[in-house]
């Protein structure tokens, strides 16, 4: 018999941070629909909600955004470390290593909101610093006048991003910042349960997200969209794939058996921005064509658009280098990890699941 593993269906903790209901297509952050947050609030406001349990008022929002901006600057030794790592080291390994280096003596049990804010503020700067080092381009200093997402794009390109691109990537950040007890969040809470520090827990979560079964970026979706190339090619290209028995990337999800609420929100953003960016117009057309054909070729299979399809559309539209896809996911998800670590601390009990021994027993003595 095959060995049982994976903890699927096992309840590991009670949480107020988020609800993922794949049957009904629900994604809730602390009592708010994630879709509504993505459409109407900044990433900073959504981070505030996850950490403090409520949305900020105007004064709190401005103060928190300023506080997050103030934590973007990296210590000199971390910059030196980033530059000293081998150029062929992948971005997620660099990020894991640089985040670990942040773990000075101030990061001790138990974690607090200040530690979380420093980590959330630092990660985009680590990504941008490494990107420019490998690209042999000048590092772009953070602009405190820009919001968290706009500044991330600015640090990468050196140009003020368009409002359309900021809106799209902000929605992506909000929609991917938290997703209940996924593998990386479980890793973070498990590490925190040992009374280790917040930075160790985040570094462990990065290690989990690095795995392609969890943090795999939507490369294949972008490749599909690039191969299709133009609206007039969509029907023929997709029909040929389906008739050959191949999978259409960006459709279907292990958890969501109805519409993925994250994809729905990003689609709504894309529809709003079709006049501002031709790529979004193209992506919406491909999605509509694919859904029609999937219903024809695979009736009743409930193959809806997943978040990777529109993540690909957003990343492509904002000209995000493909080497930064999973690292950008990390820059978003660190808020959810932090909220779970902070939730774990006051009710802490070490995670210690049992296993069933299936090996050979020695001869009794």
């Amino acid at each position: 018999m095959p060995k049982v593993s994976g903890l699927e269906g096992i309840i590991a903790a009670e949480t107020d941070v988020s609800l993922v209901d794949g049957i009904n297509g629900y994604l809730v952050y602390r009592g708010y629909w994630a879709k509504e947050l993505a459409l109407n609030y900044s990433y900073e406001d959504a981070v505030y909600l996850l950490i403090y349990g409520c949305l900020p008022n105007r004064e709190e929002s401005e103060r928190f955004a300023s506080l997050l901006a103030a934590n973007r600057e990296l210590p000199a030794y971390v910059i030196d470390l980033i530059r000293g790592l081998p150029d062929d080291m992948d971005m997620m390994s660099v990020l894991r290593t640089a985040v670990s280096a942040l773990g000075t003596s101030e990061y001790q049990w138990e974690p607090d909101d200040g530690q979380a804010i420093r980590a959330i503020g630092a990660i985009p700067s680590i990504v941008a610093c490494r990107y420019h080092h490998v690209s042999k381009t000048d590092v772009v200093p953070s602009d405190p006048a820009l919001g968290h997402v706009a500044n991330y794009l600015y640090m990468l390109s050196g140009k003020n991003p368009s409002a359309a691109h900021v809106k799209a990537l902000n929605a992506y950040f909000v929609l991917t910042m938290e997703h209940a007890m996924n593998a990386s969040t479980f890793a973070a809470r498990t590490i925190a349960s040992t009374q280790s520090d917040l930075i160790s827990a985040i570094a462990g979560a990065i290690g989990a997200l690095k795995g392609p079964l969890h943090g795999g970026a939507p490369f294949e979706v972008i490749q599909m969209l690039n191969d299709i190339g133009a609206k007039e090619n969509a029907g023929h290209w997709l029909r040929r794939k389906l008739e050959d028995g191949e999978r259409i990337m960006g459709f279907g999800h292990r958890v969501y058996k109805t519409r993925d609420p994250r994809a729905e929100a990003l689609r709504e953003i894309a529809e709003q921005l079709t006049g501002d960016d031709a790529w979004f117009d193209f992506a919406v057309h491909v999605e509509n064509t694919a859904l029609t054909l999937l219903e024809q070729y695979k009736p009743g299979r409930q193959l809806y658009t997943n978040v990777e399809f529109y993540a690909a559309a957003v990343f492509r539209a904002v000209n995000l280098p493909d080497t930064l896809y999973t690292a950008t996911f990390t820059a978003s998800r660190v808020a959810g990890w932090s909220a779970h670590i902070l939730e774990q601390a006051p009710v802490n009990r070490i995670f210690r699941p049992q296993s069933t021994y299936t090996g050979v027993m020695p001869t009794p003595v």
Side-chain angles (χ1 to χ4, degrees):
M1 294 180 61
K3 292 185 177 181
V4 177
S5 63
L7 301 180
E8 188 167 356
I10 302 299
I11 304 299
E14 294 183 348
T15 181
D16 295 332
V17 179
S18 73
L19 165 70
V20 177
D21 182 340
I23 302 299
N24 294 299
Y26 294 164
L27 179 57
V28 176
Y29 298 165
R30 294 200 184 274
Y32 292 86
W33 298 113
K35 176 180 176 180
E36 296 305 313
L37 294 169
L39 294 175
N40 299 305
Y41 289 88
S42 68
Y43 179 70
E44 292 94 316
D45 285 350
V47 172
Y48 188 101
L49 171 66
L50 289 191
I51 291 179
Y52 298 111
C54 61
L55 284 171
N57 60 36
R58 189 172 197 174
E59 180 181 342
E60 290 167 337
S61 176
E62 291 175 354
R63 186 167 61 245
F64 186 74
S66 296
L67 181 60
L68 201 56
N71 282 278
R72 294 171 184 163
E73 187 172 351
L74 300 175
Y77 74 88
V78 173
I79 295 173
D80 290 341
L81 172 65
I82 292 169
R83 291 171 173 167
L85 294 171
D87 284 355
D88 62 354
M89 181 180 283
D90 67 272
M91 180 61 78
M92 289 299 289
S93 295
V94 170
L95 189 53
R96 181 194 62 221
T97 303
V99 166
S100 292
L102 293 173
T104 58
S105 59
E106 66 181 297
Y107 291 95
Q108 299 295 329
W109 182 265
E110 62 185 65
D112 59 40
D113 58 338
Q115 296 174 5
I117 290 165
R118 286 193 287 280
I120 295 167
I123 283 180
S125 298
I126 292 172
V127 176
C129 179
R130 177 63 176 185
Y131 170 71
H132 285 293
H133 171 72
V134 174
S135 303
K136 312 300 182 189
T137 51
D138 293 334
V139 172
V140 179
S142 171
D143 183 347
L146 293 176
H148 192 75
V149 172
N151 182 70
Y152 178 53
L153 289 172
Y154 171 72
M155 285 193 299
L156 292 174
S157 69
K159 302 175 182 177
N160 284 318
S162 71
H165 288 176
V166 173
K167 185 172 185 178
L169 192 61
N170 182 82
Y172 168 82
F173 264 60
V174 173
L175 291 164
T176 57
M177 68 193 300
E178 164 59 12
H179 209 240
M181 196 63 75
N182 54 82
S184 58
T185 298
F186 181 69
R189 289 192 74 138
T190 299
I191 293 169
S193 79
T194 69
Q195 295 192 356
S196 188
D197 59 281
L198 178 137
I199 288 296
S200 292
I202 290 175
I206 291 171
L209 193 67
K210 181 176 182 288
L213 294 185
H214 183 19
F219 298 107
E220 292 173 315
V221 177
I222 287 185
Q223 184 61 55
M224 177 184 75
L225 293 173
N226 285 336
D227 287 348
I228 294 172
K231 287 183 180 181
E232 57 268 24
N233 301 331
H236 173 73
W237 193 96
L238 292 166
R239 192 179 295 276
R240 179 168 52 83
K241 287 289 183 180
L242 288 168
E243 290 178 352
D244 289 345
E246 297 184 43
R247 182 183 172 195
I248 304 298
M249 306 309 298
F251 297 85
H253 193 274
R254 179 177 177 180
V255 173
Y256 294 108
K257 304 310 176 187
T258 183
R259 298 187 185 278
D260 185 334
R262 301 167 299 172
E264 282 196 332
L266 286 177
R267 185 186 205 277
E268 189 166 329
I269 291 286
E271 288 179 327
Q272 293 173 12
L273 300 175
T274 52
D276 298 304
D277 195 298
W279 182 261
F280 285 130
D281 186 42
F282 169 62
V284 169
H285 177 81
V286 171
E287 181 202 23
N288 289 334
T289 305
L291 289 173
T292 299
L293 292 174
L294 283 167
E295 184 56 32
Q296 291 177 12
Y297 283 84
K298 300 178 183 292
R301 288 282 301 277
Q302 297 180 310
L303 295 173
Y304 300 102
T305 317
N306 62 40
V307 72
E308 284 193 353
F309 181 87
Y310 274 106
V314 169
F315 289 168
R316 173 67 169 73
V318 303
N319 297 313
L320 191 74
D322 58 12
T323 56
L324 304 186
Y325 289 174
T326 310
T328 299
F329 185 8
T330 306
S332 161
R333 183 57 63 84
V334 64
W337 296 335
S338 297
H340 278 275
I341 293 164
L342 294 173
E343 184 181 59
Q344 177 73 29
V347 293
N348 188 54
R349 186 174 183 182
I350 190 170
F351 280 87
R352 182 61 174 86
Q354 298 296 313
S355 60
T356 300
Y357 178 68
T358 60
V360 177
M361 287 296 296
T363 303
V365 293

